[in-house]
Amino acid sequence: MVLQEPVGAPSLSTAAGGVGDAVAEVRLSRLRWAVLLLFSSYSLCNAFQWIQYGSISNVFVNFYDVSTFAIDWLSMSYMLIYIPLLFPVAWLLDKRGLRIIALAGSAFNAMGAWVKLGSLKPHLFPVTVLGQVICGLAQVFILGMPSRIASVWFGSHEVSTACSIAVFGNQLGIAAGFLIPPVLIPNVDDVEKLAHHISIMFFMTAGVASALFILVIIVFKEKPPNPPSQAQASIQSRPTAEYSYVQSILRLLRNANFLLLMVTYGLNVGCFYALSTLLNRMVIHHYPGEEVNAGRIGLTIILSGMVGALISGIWLDKTKTYKQTTLAVYLMSLVGMIAYTFTLSLGHLWVVFVTAGLLGFFMTGYLPLGFEFAAELTYPESEGTSSGLLNVSAQIFGIAFTIGQGQIMDHFGTMAGNLLLCSVLFLGTVITVFIKADLRRQQANLEHEQTKVSPEAYTIPIVLEESQL
């Protein structure tokens, strides 16, 4: 018979003559979907605050009487803050777990939203910068969570889909950031009227962020009562003394496949950050007065990317073809960027919508692929650490590409700026070819499924022969 005992139960050696250790029962928790939905929701709110200035940059330039570069830095502040704070937050995630990170992220997100309400006068631009910096601090506690939540709460057959849904929140927030600000805040010259419209957006954001923080306090749990997969059970059974955060980082930095993925992920997502930040400037340059449609183009990029991410996640759960899927999506991101670059200036907005949708389907759909491929390449290292390193790469490239593309656009036009991103995506596609599909997490799950007797393992069911009477 097969015996599966909960962690903390007497070992089988006591009950059956020294056969083995206790084993964690693998079981899925119903709460996992509530945790995932709540995380996606406050991630959505934080992402909305990232792009709410950039999506109507020309309006905020006029309201605060600052340069476009200053408004661009409101978006880039998120990227800059993330880089030095990744390692402390990733260490905290490993030492204190998911709940404390969720509480910190949702709290800072709400705090930053309320601070922005104090910046409703043209001379109070530094206050809105402070609010954005606090929201950027919240992002450090959010970006590395999707793959960790997926691994801790979801089974091996649904982990990629769960990661995609977790990333959805962030992407949907960016979509809302493209759609809502142009609708709520018209481009008018009356400063008082403009301040009134801005206050509506800030009050709505602060209210939602505060409600989500309260829900996190009530609903968000550290982990399910039982591990959801054999791979996760193996990690949870590992003695704490055996884990070293510094050694984990060093092992990741010696993993050649992960280093290649870190570069390619940074190149792709850095392009996405630059494109999102500068989209309003690009569209307004070719289609003056089309602020609302500029937001809708951004919305199209994100929504099509969400569909791409969901399809990719389901596909990975079914096929486990991480390398092939990542390469195909990367290549199509390049194709989409080329199509967008050469159709933006044709004078037909509907064509821009189509090519932007194609670009978003693959470029935005790549985000959860990178997280999940990294989790496979680096198992059993912490998903928070590997995701964090991917995001650091993305932030560094994002700042460089946003500044570089912005300067190129100012001096040589939008096509030249977009050609920079095309060349970057081409380089990333070539590098992706050299990543080997060393799927360690899948191999661990496969070995657990195939093993019938393993007395030394904490997480393998022990098979006992019934006594012959």
Side-chain angles (χ1 to χ4, degrees):
M1 59 183 174
V2 179
L3 301 180
Q4 288 187 307
E5 295 183 32
V7 172
S11 67
L12 290 177
S13 59
T14 304
V19 177
D21 292 311
V23 60
E25 180 182 2
V26 172
R27 182 182 298 172
L28 295 177
S29 169
R30 294 179 181 177
L31 186 63
R32 69 192 188 280
W33 295 109
V35 169
L36 185 64
L37 178 61
L38 185 55
F39 168 77
S40 294
S41 297
Y42 74 79
S43 177
L44 181 156
C45 186
N46 183 257
F48 173 83
Q49 296 196 76
W50 169 59
I51 203 64
Q52 66 183 167
Y53 297 99
S55 62
I56 48 172
S57 59
N58 59 320
V59 175
F60 281 106
V61 164
N62 294 332
F63 180 73
Y64 288 117
D65 193 23
V66 294
S67 67
T68 56
F69 191 60
I71 299 298
D72 289 345
W73 265 111
L74 290 175
S75 295
M76 288 189 287
S77 64
Y78 264 54
M79 309 175 204
L80 188 63
I81 292 166
Y82 188 89
I83 296 168
L85 294 180
L86 159 70
F87 292 111
V89 172
W91 176 85
L92 190 63
L93 175 61
D94 285 334
K95 293 298 182 182
R96 299 298 299 274
L98 285 171
R99 178 172 167 80
I100 190 68
I101 298 299
L103 287 170
S106 56
F108 282 125
N109 188 54
M111 188 187 307
W114 284 108
V115 168
K116 290 178 183 181
L117 279 166
S119 65
L120 295 174
K121 299 289 184 181
H123 65 281
L124 294 176
F125 182 69
V127 178
T128 214
V129 171
L130 175 61
Q132 189 74 343
V133 166
I134 296 173
C135 291
L137 181 60
Q139 181 214 213
V140 185
F141 293 86
I142 293 173
L143 278 189
M145 293 272 278
S147 58
R148 181 64 172 264
I149 290 176
S151 293
V152 170
W153 281 90
F154 289 83
S156 59
H157 63 288
E158 58 189 11
V159 66
S160 296
T161 303
C163 185
S164 297
I165 294 173
V167 173
F168 269 11
N170 188 273
Q171 299 308 302
L172 191 57
I174 299 173
F178 278 121
L179 178 66
I180 296 174
V183 174
L184 289 181
I185 306 173
N187 187 10
V188 295
D189 295 328
D190 188 330
V191 174
E192 292 298 323
K193 186 175 181 181
L194 196 55
H196 170 70
H197 288 290
I198 293 173
S199 71
I200 293 174
M201 180 174 72
F202 285 173
F203 267 115
M204 289 172 57
T205 307
V208 171
S210 299
L212 289 171
F213 172 55
I214 294 171
L215 284 174
V216 168
I217 294 175
I218 298 172
V219 175
F220 205 102
K221 305 300 181 185
E222 175 61 37
K223 61 183 180 181
N226 300 93
S229 67
Q230 293 288 9
Q232 189 61 213
S234 178
I235 291 175
Q236 292 182 13
S237 69
R238 180 176 58 193
T240 305
E242 289 185 6
Y243 180 78
S244 167
Y245 178 66
V246 174
Q247 289 300 318
S248 175
I249 293 176
L250 293 177
R251 285 192 294 271
L252 289 175
L253 295 178
R254 289 194 295 265
N255 186 327
N257 291 315
F258 174 71
L259 290 178
L260 290 176
L261 179 62
M262 193 166 75
V263 172
T264 57
Y265 184 89
L267 293 174
N268 189 300
V269 181
C271 287
F272 168 71
Y273 287 158
L275 182 69
S276 299
T277 302
L278 301 173
L279 182 65
N280 174 266
R281 288 170 58 185
M282 293 184 206
V283 176
I284 296 302
H285 176 75
H286 292 287
Y287 306 92
E290 294 286 357
E291 288 89 357
V292 173
N293 273 323
R296 289 171 179 167
I297 290 171
L299 177 68
T300 301
I301 291 174
I302 303 303
L303 292 182
S304 61
M306 291 172 63
V307 175
L310 180 60
I311 293 174
S312 297
I314 295 173
W315 175 258
L316 287 182
D317 279 332
K318 296 292 185 183
T319 67
K320 309 301 181 186
T321 53
Y322 289 86
K323 165 68 179 293
Q324 298 93 321
T325 305
T326 301
L327 180 58
V329 170
Y330 216 120
L331 178 61
M332 292 306 298
S333 298
L334 171 60
V335 173
M337 189 68 217
I338 293 172
Y340 172 80
T341 297
F342 288 98
T343 58
L344 179 62
S345 60
L346 293 181
H348 302 289
L349 265 175
W350 70 269
V351 177
V352 180
F353 272 96
V354 172
T355 55
L358 173 67
L359 171 61
F361 183 86
F362 295 103
M363 178 180 280
T364 313
Y366 174 81
L367 270 66
L369 282 180
F371 283 147
E372 280 302 289
F373 199 10
E376 290 292 337
L377 294 174
T378 61
Y379 177 85
E381 308 299 341
S382 167
E383 295 88 355
T385 307
S386 62
S387 298
L389 288 171
L390 291 184
N391 283 321
V392 162
S393 177
Q395 312 303 325
I396 292 173
F397 283 117
I399 292 173
F401 296 160
T402 301
I403 295 174
Q405 186 182 13
Q407 292 298 311
I408 291 173
M409 285 168 54
D410 290 340
H411 293 87
F412 303 103
T414 56
M415 179 172 289
N418 285 327
L419 286 174
L420 168 68
L421 301 188
C422 291
S423 61
V424 166
L425 290 172
F426 174 76
L427 175 62
T429 304
V430 173
I431 297 175
T432 301
V433 173
F434 295 96
I435 301 175
K436 295 180 180 178
D438 181 17
L439 307 182
R440 301 178 181 182
R441 185 174 62 181
Q442 293 302 319
Q443 184 62 30
N445 282 320
L446 183 62
E447 289 175 356
H448 281 301
E449 291 172 3
Q450 292 177 343
T451 303
K452 298 300 182 183
V453 180
S454 181
E456 297 83 5
Y458 288 90
T459 58
I460 307 296
I462 306 300
V463 181
L464 302 177
E465 299 266 336
E466 293 190 26
S467 301
Q468 299 291 326
L469 297 179

